[in-house]
Amino acid sequence: MGAEDFAVLVGGAAPTADISVHRTWERREDQEDEAALWQERMVEIDTGLAPGRSEHEQGFGPGTTLAQRCAAMSARLAADGIGYSAHTLADKRRKWKAAGENPVVLLPAARDRRPGGFTDPRCLTAMQDVVARRAHDSDVTIDLIREEVEDLLHSRYGAELGDPDAVAALMPSRSTFYLRMKESGLADALDRPTRARAALAATPPLPHGGREAVLRPGQVTQVDTTPLRLLARGDDGRPTSTEMTTLIDVANHSLCALMITPSRSKDAESGQPGQATRAIDLTLMLAQALAPWPVMPGWDPLSAATTSSLPFGALSAADARFTEATAARPVIRPELIIYDQGSPYVSEHFTEVCDRLRIARRPARKRSAPDKPLVERFFITLAHRFSQHVRHGWQGRSHKKRGRGIDRMPLYTIAELQQMAQEWVALEYQQTPDAGLRDPFRPGVVLSPNGMYAVQVARSGYRAVPLSPAQNRFFLLPRWVTPGKGGFMINYRTYQPIAQDAGHYREILLRGSSELPGRNGQWECRFNPYRPERVWLYDHTAGTWVTCDFRLGHLLTDPWTADMWQEHAEQHHAAGGSEKDEEAIALSLAQRDRRRRSRRPPPKRTGKEPIFQGLELETEEPSRDPYADLEEFDLSTLRPYPAQPISPWAPLAVDAVPALRSGAGGTEPLEGEQAPHPLAALFSDDGDGDGPADGSTAGGPTDVCEVVDAELVDDLDPDGDVGGEIEDDVWEA
């Protein structure tokens, strides 16, 4: 009825109705009969005749007035036990007529009860704060809670209100205070055990910042790290625990990136430091989210983007990185990341990378899982739908449900678990319908994360922002170094420029100081602790990079990491050496790999002992093809050069090869005859029919050089019978 083109075709003009009534009323089955009954009553009051009857009831005849009919209806309802006065029925009739005789307005409206009634909201907040403070203490009574709430209100609002009586007015009566404690559930919380009260106090009712509307991919994302209940094979071939960090988009529940890292606690006996997710792992995961995933060898063909619900044609036209070998996972550039307050997320390096990519960050509250509900739910989904299928290493959901002999199984490496998890995401998670994903124009259709992304990207659009290898280097860890003639040091490792960048490095040495404020003349350098054999020195004046390699890199032929270097440096220092002796540490690290290869191979259940090197990041410029600028050449025009016998008895050629002439013998080719090749003069006819048939094309004698058939001699003068003069002549030849 609120549309502009609405019109009543039969029955007169369109009645003026309050459209807001139709929009606010929710149709319920239990109110349909009541609405029909009130409709009959209003029609009888208005006309004097009930619907479907031919005779008037007493008090509703033709000679009665509207007031008399309202009084008669009030008396009838009173006889049935319903108390409505004639004045109230007259008001209901006027409201019913104004709404176009719509019985919806006659139903009693649901009264929205205010939470806390008429109690001051400041008092309700103080009640929740006091109960939360007492969550870790022994149980108390409501009377003590009331006293502490009163003291808290005086301390908070005493200076603001300035009058003790005004502060006392914030407190309700004792009976009302008990009622509010019961209605809000705080009274029941006080009766729970201490552990339950502590868990309830640490769980807020709503997510941080409220429930916000998210309409486009990347508008809001959530990231979190959790221990993964999967054992993996570590660098030493022994079982090690793992952690997983995931980045999930709120708009379509797509998994933007995931990162699995080794995790171990500090060893008190050996003093070996612990290992967990670091800032470099978060930045590598963030770089993974900004690029398509490739389909690895051995993956299911259905994990490709071409076989999924992603708009592959439109994405490949907008972004050249989408090929047929791209996995079924969209590329989503985060705009806002909600993270917990762990040390890697608040690190200076992660903050710098987010600022460089213009990604806003918003911290969640401590011990508040509802602030990141999607990523917390994904961990449960991963355990139920992926981890339990990895039989070699799955520890179960608790110690009571853990299988036997888990640590003696042939475990997977962390790199293999990473590839398996990515395949599962592209094959199952991204293509499984989710009940929380629905298109507004098709609310009855349940969509998958890829399907929801296809709907949203058609509305919001897609803009490819590929990062070059030079831009990817800013994801690496920064170090401020002082370049010298012999190079510079990072963790007591000397790095020197490669031959191609030696001139650029010499220019940096001539400048001396970097003239950056607060850096004491040092220059910025970026390196990957998982692949420390190469670093990049940044020239901020020109915006270019100088590639530098480890000085003793030729000694370390096997893959190594900065953690392995630090481990051998500590061992060398414990043996009485110095951590600055890079030659001795490099030799010790090289001997470790040699001993591993030379000793008895490990049992089949462990296999090879690979090292964890994180995720690969495109930081190297692609090598330039030296033949890229050359024109295409027809290989069919080339002629093979005849092979010549090699013998010490063969004489030297007397006649030189004649110079090439333009054309073929100075004559033009006949019609229908192919022009001779310019190099045809170098090749004589070898009898196979491919070469020239006469000597006219050579422009000289038929035989360019004399070919002498000679027998190959294995040993010249084995008995010494040949004369010395002949022997000298042979070797001179």
Side-chain angles (χ1 to χ4, degrees):
M1 294 173 63
E4 297 180 356
D5 56 348
F6 177 81
V8 178
L9 301 181
V10 179
T16 304
D18 187 5
I19 306 302
S20 61
V21 175
H22 301 273
R23 296 175 180 174
T24 57
W25 180 69
E26 297 180 0
R27 180 177 179 180
R28 296 187 301 178
E29 296 181 358
D30 57 347
Q31 291 183 337
E32 291 183 358
D33 297 339
E34 185 178 0
L37 184 59
W38 275 108
Q39 179 74 9
E40 294 179 359
R41 293 169 181 171
M42 290 295 107
V43 170
E44 189 174 4
I45 292 175
D46 187 49
T47 62
L49 187 65
R53 295 185 181 182
S54 57
E55 297 180 359
H56 298 275
E57 294 289 339
Q58 186 178 0
F60 294 89
T64 59
T65 61
L66 181 62
Q68 293 175 350
R69 291 194 295 269
C70 289
M73 182 60 68
S74 176
R76 183 193 300 178
L77 293 177
D80 296 337
I82 304 176
Y84 277 98
S85 63
H87 182 71
T88 303
L89 293 176
D91 292 341
K92 278 183 171 292
R93 176 193 168 278
R94 284 192 295 268
K95 188 176 181 180
W96 173 68
K97 295 293 287 186
E101 299 183 358
N102 189 356
V104 176
V105 298
L106 303 177
L107 297 176
R111 181 176 297 180
D112 297 335
R113 298 189 60 182
R114 296 173 49 185
F118 293 96
T119 305
D120 196 284
R122 291 171 288 185
C123 180
L124 299 176
T125 304
M127 293 165 56
Q128 296 177 358
D129 295 342
V130 170
V131 173
R133 291 179 184 180
R134 286 285 187 172
H136 298 273
D137 299 339
S138 301
D139 57 338
V140 295
T141 60
I142 299 181
D143 289 336
L144 183 58
I145 296 295
R146 187 173 185 276
E147 295 177 3
E148 294 185 1
V149 168
E150 189 174 359
D151 296 340
L152 182 60
L153 290 176
H154 280 282
S155 62
R156 284 184 177 178
Y157 307 106
E160 177 183 352
L161 299 178
D163 187 5
D165 296 337
V167 178
L170 300 178
M171 284 291 297
S173 62
R174 183 179 297 273
S175 59
T176 306
F177 187 86
Y178 271 79
L179 181 61
R180 297 293 176 257
M181 290 285 294
K182 186 177 180 180
E183 290 177 349
S184 60
L186 298 178
D188 296 336
L190 292 177
D191 294 337
R192 294 185 179 183
T194 305
R195 181 175 297 180
R197 285 188 281 111
L200 183 63
T203 305
L206 289 178
H208 181 46
R211 300 187 182 275
E212 49 195 345
V214 182
L215 303 177
R216 61 181 182 273
Q219 183 178 355
V220 179
T221 57
Q222 299 174 1
V223 63
D224 195 11
T225 303
T226 185
L228 196 62
R229 298 187 182 97
L230 287 175
L231 287 179
R233 190 165 72 246
D235 297 346
D236 54 355
R238 299 179 180 178
T240 180
S241 302
T242 55
E243 286 185 348
M244 185 180 65
T245 305
T246 55
L247 180 67
I248 293 185
D249 183 38
V250 176
N252 47 66
H253 299 185
S254 295
L255 187 71
C256 302
L258 64 89
M259 180 76 175
I260 300 178
T261 56
S263 172
R264 66 170 183 266
S265 57
K266 182 178 181 181
D267 192 354
E269 297 181 359
S270 61
Q272 184 180 9
Q275 186 176 0
T277 303
R278 298 174 290 186
I280 182 63
D281 300 324
L282 298 181
T283 54
L284 292 178
M285 180 203 64
L286 196 59
Q288 177 191 167
L290 302 177
W293 282 358
V295 175
M296 304 303 295
W299 284 20
D300 194 296
L302 296 179
S303 61
T306 54
T307 60
S308 66
S309 57
L310 289 176
F312 179 76
L315 292 177
S316 58
D319 194 347
R321 297 176 298 174
F322 279 89
T323 61
E324 295 183 357
T326 301
R329 186 223 60 165
V331 176
I332 299 176
R333 187 179 183 88
E335 300 178 14
L336 173 64
I337 295 180
I338 301 178
Y339 63 96
D340 59 8
Q341 300 186 28
S343 57
Y345 298 100
V346 298
S347 62
E348 182 180 357
H349 176 54
F350 184 70
T351 304
E352 176 196 355
V353 173
C354 291
D355 294 342
R356 184 177 295 274
L357 296 176
R358 297 182 179 179
I359 299 177
R361 302 179 306 122
R362 189 176 74 192
R365 291 169 290 183
K366 292 184 178 180
R367 298 184 301 274
S368 300
D371 290 357
K372 310 179 301 298
L374 290 180
V375 68
E376 296 289 348
R377 178 62 188 176
F378 175 77
F379 295 145
I380 303 177
T381 304
L382 185 82
H384 283 277
R385 293 166 51 185
F386 168 71
S387 299
Q388 64 180 356
H389 299 292
V390 185
R391 296 185 56 187
H392 294 181
W394 169 241
Q395 295 179 317
R397 287 175 288 176
S398 64
H399 291 279
K400 298 179 181 180
K401 299 183 179 181
R402 181 170 301 177
R404 297 180 179 179
I406 298 298
D407 54 347
R408 297 190 301 272
M409 289 183 176
L411 304 177
Y412 296 100
T413 63
I414 296 181
E416 292 173 344
L417 289 178
Q418 177 82 19
Q419 296 295 336
M420 294 169 62
Q422 289 181 348
E423 181 185 6
W424 172 79
V425 168
L427 180 62
E428 182 177 350
Y429 177 79
Q430 289 291 135
Q431 305 188 43
T432 301
D434 189 348
L437 299 177
R438 297 177 185 268
D439 186 5
F441 299 99
R442 296 176 300 166
V445 180
V446 180
L447 301 177
S448 63
N450 282 345
M452 193 66 184
Y453 174 81
V455 172
Q456 293 174 349
V457 77
R459 178 176 60 247
S460 61
Y462 175 81
R463 182 169 63 93
V465 188
L467 299 178
S468 63
Q471 293 173 334
N472 284 337
R473 292 167 189 165
F474 286 105
F475 285 90
L476 306 180
L477 289 180
R479 285 292 185 273
W480 293 92
V481 299
T482 303
K485 294 182 179 180
F488 54 89
M489 299 190 70
I490 296 179
N491 297 339
Y492 303 115
R493 295 188 301 269
T494 304
Y495 290 90
Q496 296 176 346
I498 61 177
Q500 291 84 349
D501 295 345
H504 194 177
Y505 184 80
R506 194 177 300 110
E507 295 178 2
I508 294 178
L509 292 181
L510 294 177
R511 293 190 200 135
S513 174
S514 63
E515 299 181 357
L516 291 176
R519 293 302 177 181
N520 297 328
Q522 293 181 324
W523 296 75
E524 181 182 1
C525 182
R526 297 281 177 166
F527 81 103
N528 188 353
Y530 293 126
R531 292 172 175 82
E533 62 273 1
R534 172 162 290 187
V535 300
W536 290 270
L537 187 66
Y538 183 61
D539 184 4
H540 59 277
T541 59
T544 55
W545 299 87
V546 177
T547 306
C548 302
D549 288 343
F550 180 42
R551 184 175 65 91
L552 303 177
H554 60 281
L555 300 177
L556 305 174
T557 56
D558 292 330
W560 58 286
T561 62
D563 296 331
M564 298 171 58
W565 178 275
Q566 184 64 25
E567 177 184 352
H568 284 266
E570 293 176 356
Q571 295 177 0
H572 183 68
H573 179 70
S578 174
E579 295 183 353
K580 300 181 181 180
D581 190 359
E582 58 180 341
E583 290 85 358
I585 299 175
L587 290 175
S588 175
L589 187 56
Q591 291 173 2
R592 168 189 178 273
D593 297 327
R594 292 177 189 145
R595 287 193 300 267
R596 179 175 59 83
R597 291 193 301 266
S598 60
R599 70 187 181 201
R600 183 173 61 88
K604 293 183 179 180
R605 67 178 182 85
T606 57
K608 189 181 177 181
E609 298 175 5
I611 65 172
F612 175 68
Q613 289 191 297
L615 297 176
E616 295 186 3
L617 186 64
E618 294 292 337
T619 54
E620 298 288 344
E621 297 288 348
S623 59
R624 182 179 177 275
D625 186 7
Y627 305 101
D629 299 334
L630 297 180
E631 299 180 356
E632 295 185 3
F633 185 77
D634 188 6
L635 298 179
S636 62
T637 59
L638 290 179
R639 300 292 182 179
Y641 194 79
Q644 300 294 331
I646 302 175
S647 174
W649 302 102
L652 294 176
V654 179
D655 299 332
V657 179
L660 294 177
R661 299 180 303 171
S662 60
T667 61
E668 296 294 332
L670 299 178
E671 184 177 0
E673 182 180 357
Q674 184 178 4
H677 195 272
L679 302 179
L682 293 178
F683 310 109
S684 59
D685 188 8
D686 53 356
D688 58 353
D690 295 336
D694 53 5
S696 60
T697 58
T702 305
D703 296 329
V704 177
C705 58
E706 183 179 3
V707 179
V708 179
D709 295 332
E711 182 181 359
L712 295 179
V713 180
D714 295 335
D715 188 7
L716 294 176
D717 190 15
D719 300 330
D721 298 333
V722 183
E725 181 178 359
I726 300 177
E727 182 179 358
D728 295 340
D729 295 339
V730 169
W731 289 112
E732 287 178 3

